[in-house]
Amino acid sequence: MWVIKKSEKAGEGWGMFLKRRHLEILKEMKNTESGAEIEAKLPEEFQIRAVELYILGFVELEGGKIRFTEAGKRMLELVEKLDVEKLPDVFADSEIIKILELAVETGEVPEEWMELLRERQLADENGVNELGRELLKIYRETHPVVYLTPEIVSFLRGMPKIGTLDELVNYKNARLYGDNITNALQAMRLLKISPATEKGKAFVATPAARLALKAASMVPVFTGAITLRKEDFEALKAGKRSAASDAQGFTDEKGITEFGKAMMETYEAIGREEERILPIYLLADELKVLEAIAEIEEKYKTNPEILPTYREIEKLAKVEDLGAVLHILESKELIERKLVKNKDTYWLTDWGRNAKEFGVVTADGMKALTYAESGDVPIAEWVLKAKEEGLIRNGITDKGRFYLRMSREIKRKPYLTKYDAAILLKTPKRKYISRSELVELVRDYVGGDERDIVRAIGEAEAKGFIVELQNGMVKLTELGEKVKTAIENAKVQEVIATKFGITPTTYNVLRVIYENLEVFNRIWKEKGEVKDYKQDEVDVIRKHLSLSEEEIKKALTVLRALGFLGEKSLTEAGRLLVEAYL
């Protein structure tokens, strides 16, 4: 009775959290538990809507009866405060939930998004109202049922996993699926659709969707619906076996089956907050330098006198600012510095060798993938950029997978441009600021072209300093707050003015001092002026870093000039900077 089928067409609304019809059914349930009685009053699509309410965790379906869960009772209380007749057909889908989340978290969303909330009585002239906040609370505190039918699994298996909404609509229509399938996927939080921007809407299958497919692949013959409710999950977690769990294939005489474990994994992944992955990027000049180093490394194999020094790289890589490019490549673990034959040289890491093959990628293109991997939905602009850069085709490409793995696994080292420093200084702590306002503040502070500053904001996100959300609001990350505090404790104007102030090299020198402070304290107590550097300092650092004496002296001079190192002490700014990256 209560099963969604491929042939059943649903209403016009794309994607579902709750339709107006669901709310009408909830109101009718106050008077009766009889599904037949409610269906007589509200015949249109009743069977489908009842199943969707069950998936959402608001009702229990048994025989011909439909009963409230505790979450359903909470939802009814909210429904009673709404003028249901005036609501649009789709009350709250994943797009509306995302807008609510962003509006509550940042306090600002585009006017056209806010209008969607007002139409649903979830906001007023002052922003999100109590009804909107309560709906978001119910959403966050309610766990949907895992509900898999042959039709849902078939759709999920064949659908593109990330793209623009048009692609998903085309896939659905070409295979004659009704909207009910996508409604069910949104209800289970296996599918998310973004709010509309200038380029339209995007969608993504969440990490839980992959787990659902893995579980489904373990079922030899898929016939009826397989369901896992909260009570079932908790019973399995407690190691309990029942006739019902055996019938579903979750348990057998040996205990929980592999299928049961896979379904539990899916259940746990639904709605779980995944750690945000920072997007990586690789610009055209960076690629040229990687290619130049690779060419020199090949020559080195037959002629060991040819080394990838600054001068050798400069001859091959015709880039405007080689020093800056080398620092940024080192900060992303694409190259490593080594002292070879008493010369400072730069060598490709395994990451660098692979990145050279895959080529250029932007922070915005990567955000399509990092957001999706974090269980969030990217906006259409990021998805289109990812397609343009070859990160997405039918699914994530090899290039996309490589850069996603790199985004997740590399240990970033600090490299701050004047824009990075200005972005950190002008972004308030624990508060959001709009990207457009931040661009103006940075331009007023250090000058520069708007396009360069916008790009720098994307790079600052890739460096882990900020996060920019789908509504263009920017906030400091924990790392960003720590580095901001370090800069504020240093000589701020010198940090802004010094081109190569905080680099992987100066940071590595500072870290050696931090980790060997007792040794340096003894050196500093000895008689004699320090000023820029002391030879004893240089000698200790050389034992720990593969750097020339000249580079170490330069780093010590810079660190003292910027206030990260005193004449005879590690300053508070220096300590804070090192600890930010530990």
Side-chain angles (χ1 to χ4, degrees):
M1 178 183 175
W2 310 98
V3 179
I4 288 179
K5 294 177 183 173
K6 177 174 177 176
S7 58
E8 292 171 335
K9 296 272 184 176
E12 300 295 317
W14 234 104
M16 187 280 303
F17 172 52
L18 279 169
K19 293 178 72 104
R20 185 176 63 232
R21 177 61 85 200
H22 294 110
L23 309 188
E24 291 165 350
I25 291 169
L26 289 173
K27 289 185 83 168
E28 285 298 324
M29 284 173 61
K30 279 190 306 175
N31 307 317
T32 179
E33 290 183 349
S34 167
E37 284 183 40
I38 299 172
E39 187 169 15
K41 286 189 178 181
L42 305 168
E44 186 194 342
E45 303 154 4
F46 172 76
Q47 297 288 330
I48 297 171
R49 300 295 157 243
V51 171
E52 288 164 351
L53 283 169
Y54 169 70
I55 294 170
L56 286 160
F58 292 147
V59 304
E60 286 288 356
L61 304 174
E62 192 178 336
K65 293 189 174 178
I66 178 167
R67 299 189 182 98
F68 284 114
T69 60
E70 288 306 310
K73 289 173 187 173
R74 282 179 66 189
M75 192 65 219
L76 177 63
E77 285 177 25
L78 188 149
V79 173
E80 303 258 70
K81 297 171 187 172
L82 294 165
D83 187 345
V84 175
E85 287 184 9
K86 291 184 179 176
L87 292 172
D89 179 51
V90 177
F91 171 58
D93 56 9
S94 57
E95 175 187 4
I96 296 300
I97 291 297
K98 186 76 242 176
I99 294 171
L100 270 177
E101 284 179 334
L102 291 169
V104 169
E105 187 177 349
T106 69
E108 189 175 319
V109 294
E111 175 55 29
E112 55 271 29
W113 294 9
M114 190 56 77
E115 186 54 37
L116 292 174
L117 298 185
R118 290 194 204 103
E119 283 174 11
R120 288 156 175 80
Q121 301 162 37
L122 302 172
D124 51 35
E125 64 279 3
N126 300 315
V128 178
N129 59 25
E130 282 310 305
L131 291 176
R133 289 176 190 278
E134 178 59 18
L135 179 63
L136 192 55
K137 196 174 177 197
I138 292 170
Y139 172 81
R140 285 172 171 165
E141 293 175 6
T142 304
H143 197 296
V145 172
V146 181
Y147 180 90
L148 302 178
T149 66
E151 293 76 25
I152 287 172
V153 170
S154 172
F155 183 94
L156 191 57
R157 189 174 283 131
M159 68 175 265
K161 302 304 184 281
I162 182 171
T164 58
L165 188 56
D166 289 348
E167 293 173 82
L168 191 59
V169 174
N170 290 341
Y171 169 79
K172 176 185 72 76
N173 292 344
R175 287 157 183 79
L176 305 178
Y177 283 103
D179 288 347
N180 51 288
I181 300 289
T182 53
N183 291 348
L185 289 173
Q186 285 192 83
M188 280 185 276
R189 307 181 196 182
L190 303 183
L191 170 69
K192 290 187 178 181
I193 295 168
S194 77
T197 56
E198 283 182 18
K199 301 288 186 182
K201 296 182 186 183
F203 75 91
V204 67
T206 65
R210 285 201 299 268
L211 294 170
L213 282 174
K214 177 185 162 190
S217 70
M218 297 177 178
V219 182
V221 182
F222 217 122
T223 51
I226 291 173
T227 62
L228 185 68
R229 305 167 304 159
K230 184 181 180 183
E231 304 92 291
D232 306 324
F233 173 78
E234 287 173 352
L236 288 173
K237 207 170 180 183
K240 293 177 182 173
R241 180 190 179 195
S242 65
S245 66
D246 273 14
Q248 294 248 65
F250 301 153
T251 55
D252 58 21
E253 64 282 352
K254 294 176 185 172
I256 300 172
T257 62
E258 288 305 309
F259 174 58
K261 288 174 189 172
M263 286 291 285
M264 288 175 72
E265 218 182 328
T266 304
Y267 185 92
E268 284 182 309
I270 288 172
R272 181 168 59 207
E273 290 247 342
E274 303 283 346
E275 190 179 343
R276 178 84 63 194
I277 302 166
L278 300 168
I280 202 68
Y281 66 95
L282 184 74
L283 304 181
D285 278 359
E286 295 169 29
L287 180 59
K288 285 180 189 174
V289 172
L290 292 178
E291 289 169 342
I293 294 172
E295 193 175 325
I296 297 164
E297 284 184 356
E298 280 302 309
K299 292 176 183 175
Y300 172 76
K301 288 175 184 175
T302 53
N303 184 356
E305 294 307 309
I306 299 174
L307 292 166
T309 60
Y310 185 97
R311 294 197 181 284
E312 284 297 323
I313 297 166
E314 192 175 34
K315 289 177 195 172
L316 292 176
K318 307 298 181 188
V319 297
E320 196 174 315
D321 193 342
L322 179 58
V325 175
L326 289 170
H327 285 312
I328 195 65
L329 289 172
E330 189 181 0
S331 78
K332 291 185 279 197
E333 289 194 347
L334 292 168
I335 62 171
E336 56 185 337
R337 277 184 93 154
K338 290 180 188 174
L339 190 64
V340 179
K341 297 181 181 176
N342 213 30
K343 292 178 180 177
D344 289 297
T345 58
Y346 303 86
W347 303 81
L348 296 183
T349 62
D350 287 340
W351 290 118
R353 259 179 279 282
N354 283 304
K356 177 181 72 71
E357 299 306 317
F358 284 116
V360 171
V361 65
T362 62
D364 274 359
M366 278 306 299
K367 277 165 78 168
L369 305 190
T370 56
Y371 267 64
E373 197 70 8
S374 302
D376 201 350
V377 61
I379 55 173
E381 282 79 351
W382 301 341
V383 169
L384 291 169
K385 195 72 179 164
K387 285 177 177 291
E388 182 188 312
E389 292 169 5
L391 301 169
I392 300 170
R393 222 162 272 124
N394 296 325
I396 298 177
T397 62
D398 287 345
K399 178 180 180 178
R401 275 190 289 275
F402 166 73
Y403 280 120
L404 193 54
R405 189 163 63 87
M406 186 177 163
S407 297
R408 188 190 284 111
E409 293 180 16
I410 63 162
K411 188 162 173 54
R412 291 160 172 82
K413 297 181 182 72
Y415 171 55
L416 268 71
T417 65
K418 70 175 180 181
Y419 287 136
D420 291 319
I423 288 163
L424 286 166
L425 291 166
K426 292 301 174 184
T427 306
K429 288 184 179 178
R430 295 176 186 84
K431 274 177 67 181
Y432 282 92
I433 182 172
S434 72
R435 183 171 71 170
S436 55
E437 186 183 349
L438 182 58
V439 168
E440 288 301 314
L441 290 171
V442 170
R443 186 161 52 191
D444 291 346
Y445 191 43
V446 294
D449 179 77
E450 181 179 345
R451 190 177 60 182
D452 290 338
I453 297 169
V454 168
R455 190 179 78 175
I457 289 171
E459 291 168 10
E461 183 168 11
K463 291 172 183 177
F465 298 144
I466 58 170
V467 60
E468 183 185 355
L469 300 182
Q470 295 94 330
N471 56 343
M473 298 298 282
V474 175
K475 187 182 182 182
L476 291 172
T477 60
E478 186 182 351
L479 175 65
E481 289 195 4
K482 287 177 178 178
V483 177
K484 176 186 171 92
T485 303
I487 293 171
E488 288 172 338
N489 277 271
K491 297 173 183 175
V492 174
Q493 290 311 312
E494 281 84 345
V495 172
I496 293 287
T498 306
K499 188 169 183 184
F500 300 135
I502 302 172
T503 68
T505 300
T506 54
Y507 174 80
N508 286 339
V509 167
L510 197 61
R511 184 169 173 174
V512 168
I513 294 169
Y514 174 90
E515 290 174 345
N516 298 274
L517 201 52
E518 285 185 21
V519 176
F520 283 90
N521 280 332
R522 282 199 297 274
I523 292 169
W524 295 329
K525 279 179 184 173
E526 291 167 8
K527 289 181 181 177
E529 290 293 313
V530 176
K531 288 189 179 175
D532 291 343
Y533 59 85
K534 211 171 183 180
Q535 188 59 44
D536 286 354
E537 294 175 318
V538 177
D539 293 341
V540 172
I541 292 163
R542 282 192 74 175
K543 290 176 186 173
H544 292 87
L545 296 177
S546 188
L547 285 173
S548 68
E549 191 167 306
E550 183 188 349
E551 283 297 306
I552 294 169
K553 287 175 179 177
K554 251 195 280 184
L556 288 167
T557 302
V558 168
L559 288 167
R560 287 195 162 102
L562 302 188
F564 293 104
L565 201 56
E567 279 194 21
K568 297 192 174 187
S569 67
L570 175 67
T571 64
E572 180 69 358
R575 181 186 67 77
L576 289 167
L577 182 61
V578 172
E579 290 177 353
Y581 283 88
L582 291 180

